[in-house]
Structure formats: C-alpha cells, structure tokens
Amino acid sequence: MGARPYSFTASQAVNRRDSEMVDRAVIEQMVRKSLQERFTGNSPVIIRPLSHNGGPNPLVVNVSARHVHVSQQDLEILFGPGSQLTKFKDLYQDGEFASEQVVNLIGPRNRLIPGIRILGPTRNYSQVELSYTDGVYMGIDLPLRTSGDHDGTPGCVLVGPHGALNMDRGVIRAERHVHMHQSDCDHYGVHDGDYMQLKIDGPCGVVFDRVLVRQHPKVKLEVHIDTDEGNACHLPSASRIELLK
C-alpha cells in the first residue's frame, strides 16, 4: 500500500499557526534583546581602583559609552511638544543623569544604531558622542573635539517616537578629559586647558596622553574615556590609576 497523504485537521492547522506566531514572537524578542545588548550599553561604568594618586578627592575613571545631548527645542522635535527628560539613573557628577529617553541614529550609509540614550539635563546645543569604532561602522569620519565644539563636524539623523531630527553637525568623538575642582588643580599643579597623562597599571596597562583638564567649581574629580579606550586597557582589571602632569 502507498503511503497515506498527511493532512491537517482544522484544529491542527490553528495550533500550527499559533505555534509559528509564538516562535516568531520569541525570535523577534531575541533579536531585539541582542540589538539592545550590543547597542545600548549606555550606562556609565565607573571604576574606583583601590590604588590611585588622587589628592583631596578620590580619582575616578568613567568609561562613557555612546550618548546624546539635546537642546529643549530638539527634544520636543523628537518626543513631542512639552516633552521633558525623565531620570533613568544618576551620573557621577551632581545634577547629571542618564534619561529614560533613547533615540535611533541613522548615518550616511543608512546604517542604524538603535536606542542611544540621552543624557540630561538638556543643553543649549545638541551633540552625539560616538567612539571611533562606532564611526567606522556608521561610515562617519569622526573628528576629535571637546564638547560643544561643532565647527566643521559631520551630522546625522536622530529618530524619536514623535519625529526625526536632521542634524547638520554635532557628531564627534569626545576628547578624553578630566573634570577637576580647583582643589584638584592645586593638588596636581595644573590649570584649566592643560593636558595630563593617565597611567593605568594592570594586565593591559597603558598610558594615555593628552587628557584635557576641565576645571569647574561645581564638579568632582573624574576622568572620562570612551569605550574603545576602556576596552584597550581592560579598565576593570586596573590595579592603580594615576594622573601625571
């Protein structure tokens, strides 16, 4: 006898359809999670080694992942009229925070980095800070700049739930820098605008040149480096961190 043709009952067909829908939902959830893990590591990683040469204040290094700063006007373009940033997590500096709001970044190759977190509070300009690795992926030739220096910088498109923001400039790789109170400047013998070295001891120890000093009366001692730099020295394994004049 020949093989009997396989057939579905109506109930089996419904069950199979539901199963396929569940499988697809699971797959979509896995993809979203994978993208989120890859692209939204935007919470700062603060390293406090047991050994450092801080003076009146402890020396802290913050690995700053990709993020966005926005003006109030641009925030309302992205999230709607009257929108306000809502706090997700406090940052190390008093009054600064990672917000609940995230945006998608579209570059010149039409490549996408989803879910880039906005840091608050709002500023008088909008700016996107990426690592060189991000720039290579996106096809953006990133200039090395201090925050707010946007002359001749490339732009991008930011997409929020309410609208898209076409930035004609403001995409940078932030110059590594150290925030200092005047008491910290006195301890290290430096002034605002000077450059220092950051020496990191450990299994992947390095010395970073040209760490810009940024003095302000309301800040705490904190070094900012990006994810490329943090990965290069495997900062979590650091045994000692020093700022050198």
Side-chain angles (χ1 to χ4, degrees):
M1 295 178 60
R4 295 178 58 186
Y6 189 82
S7 62
F8 289 109
T9 66
S11 176
Q12 288 173 323
V14 170
N15 290 339
R16 180 176 180 180
R17 181 193 63 195
D18 291 345
S19 176
E20 289 175 347
M21 292 176 64
V22 170
D23 291 344
R24 181 173 180 177
V26 171
I27 291 170
E28 289 177 349
Q29 184 179 22
M30 292 172 63
V31 170
R32 284 195 297 270
K33 181 179 179 182
S34 177
L35 286 171
Q36 193 172 35
E37 288 174 349
R38 178 177 179 185
F39 290 116
T40 61
N42 299 306
S43 295
V45 179
I46 297 174
I47 306 298
R48 299 180 178 88
L50 295 177
S51 180
H52 60 82
N53 71 335
N57 303 302
L59 177 56
V60 169
V61 177
N62 176 353
V63 178
S64 184
R66 65 179 75 92
H67 60 270
V68 175
H69 299 285
V70 294
S71 65
Q72 181 60 37
Q73 179 182 357
D74 290 344
L75 177 66
E76 295 188 20
I77 291 174
L78 293 164
F79 291 89
S83 293
Q84 299 291 322
L85 292 176
T86 53
K87 185 183 298 185
F88 169 69
K89 182 179 181 180
D90 285 316
L91 300 181
Y92 187 67
Q93 297 296 336
D94 294 338
E96 298 187 0
F97 59 92
S99 76
E100 297 276 0
Q101 285 73 19
V102 296
V103 292
N104 298 328
L105 168 67
I106 301 175
R109 294 179 180 174
N110 288 325
R111 289 186 173 178
L112 169 71
I113 298 181
I116 301 181
R117 196 169 299 280
I118 298 176
L119 301 188
T122 55
R123 298 191 176 188
N124 59 3
Y125 57 84
S126 293
Q127 174 175 290
V128 178
E129 297 183 29
L130 303 174
S131 69
Y132 276 148
T133 299
D134 292 330
V136 170
Y137 171 76
M138 295 298 293
I140 300 175
D141 186 13
L142 290 175
L144 186 67
R145 296 294 179 89
T146 58
S147 185
D149 180 5
H150 298 163
D151 289 344
T153 58
C156 68
V157 177
L158 297 179
V159 180
H162 180 77
L165 175 64
N166 290 291
M167 295 178 59
D168 58 2
R169 62 178 187 169
V171 183
I172 66 170
R173 182 190 184 188
E175 185 174 15
R176 53 181 170 260
H177 55 276
V178 53
H179 294 285
M180 286 191 176
H181 185 271
Q182 185 58 52
S183 59
D184 300 306
C185 290
D186 294 342
H187 170 73
Y188 290 105
V190 294
H191 301 89
D192 184 58
D194 287 349
Y195 283 93
M196 302 185 71
Q197 291 182 325
L198 175 65
K199 185 174 184 290
I200 299 174
D201 294 328
C204 300
V206 298
V207 176
F208 290 116
D209 286 323
R210 294 186 61 81
V211 180
L212 177 67
V213 174
R214 298 176 60 183
Q215 186 271 337
H216 193 277
K218 295 183 179 180
V219 301
K220 296 182 286 188
L221 180 61
E222 179 189 24
V223 178
H224 279 174
I225 61 177
D226 69 16
T227 49
D228 285 349
E229 295 160 336
N231 289 336
C233 64
H234 193 232
L235 191 60
S237 67
S239 58
R240 179 174 173 82
I241 294 179
E242 296 180 88
L243 280 171
L244 307 174
K245 185 176 178 181

